[in-house]
Amino acid sequence: MANEKPNQEGHDCDGDEVFEIERVRQLVSLMKEHELTEIDLRQGHKRIRIRSGQEATIVNASAIQPAMVQSAPAGTNPAGTAPAAEPENTTVIKSPMVGTFYTCAKPGDPPFVKVGDQISADTIVCMVEAMKMFNEIPAGISGKIVGVIARNEEPVDVGRPLFRIIAD
């Protein structure tokens, strides 16, 4: 039983990091299994908080529709800084699920999309790996890619901005 307690450095006695990605995936699985909406763990100066804003389900990739957000109208900026010089029809494609963001199907392949690409609503813009399932994410809207916000192999949450596009 002594091996189950973490040591003073914040590691398990077997040497594994408490907040490694596999443990995070296990926590997400437990959240789904027990219908939890939030887990908040702290160990020393480290903290991990996982929240679920909606019921998590695995669906057919063609049924996944990323969330879209219209940019605020020009001249409105609650932070008090100068507004960005983006057209009003700029839209953000957000992650529909928690997982790992991938810009291409496999290492060495070209990215699904890049800045300047013209896309349609059914264009696959990325993959999000969740629970060892690779889900192709369609754009959900047509337009021109003007920004890739997330980085390849970066963990993403539901609603995390992935791309900026100028909608047609």
Side-chain angles (χ1 to χ4, degrees):
M1 277 179 82
N3 284 347
E4 293 177 13
K5 291 184 178 179
N7 65 23
Q8 291 180 341
E9 287 84 36
H11 303 289
D12 286 339
C13 291
D14 62 4
D16 291 338
E17 281 288 328
V18 173
F19 299 117
E20 67 182 350
I21 192 70
E22 192 55 41
R23 288 249 169 86
V24 172
R25 287 183 177 140
Q26 290 170 351
L27 291 172
V28 170
S29 179
L30 286 170
M31 284 180 68
K32 290 177 185 176
E33 180 181 338
H34 297 286
E35 299 180 22
L36 301 174
T37 57
E38 182 172 333
I39 293 178
D40 190 348
L41 301 173
R42 297 170 195 209
Q43 185 173 40
H45 294 294
K46 295 182 180 180
R47 178 181 183 192
I48 184 168
R49 180 151 120 214
I50 305 170
R51 288 194 289 187
S52 173
Q54 59 187 2
E55 184 177 315
T57 56
I58 302 296
V59 296
N60 182 329
S62 64
I64 297 172
Q65 293 298 316
M68 305 295 166
V69 175
Q70 288 295 109
S71 294
T76 61
N77 192 346
T81 59
E86 288 186 355
E88 283 189 39
N89 59 341
T90 300
T91 300
V92 176
I93 299 174
K94 294 185 174 188
S95 178
M97 65 182 60
V98 173
T100 304
F101 171 80
Y102 291 96
T103 58
C104 55
K106 59 184 179 181
D109 280 1
F112 290 105
V113 295
K114 58 189 180 308
V115 173
D117 284 356
Q118 190 69 33
I119 60 169
S120 65
D122 60 344
T123 300
I124 302 301
V125 293
C126 65
M127 292 175 75
V128 175
E129 182 262 329
M131 305 296 290
K132 304 210 185 278
M133 291 185 64
F134 288 83
N135 302 281
E136 294 180 332
I137 309 300
I141 190 167
S142 60
K144 181 179 179 179
I145 301 281
V146 294
V148 179
I149 301 167
R151 290 192 311 241
N152 193 40
E153 299 182 14
E154 178 178 53
V156 295
D157 293 324
V158 173
R160 163 74 156 75
L162 304 175
F163 299 92
R164 278 192 340 267
I165 72 165
I166 296 176
D168 287 340

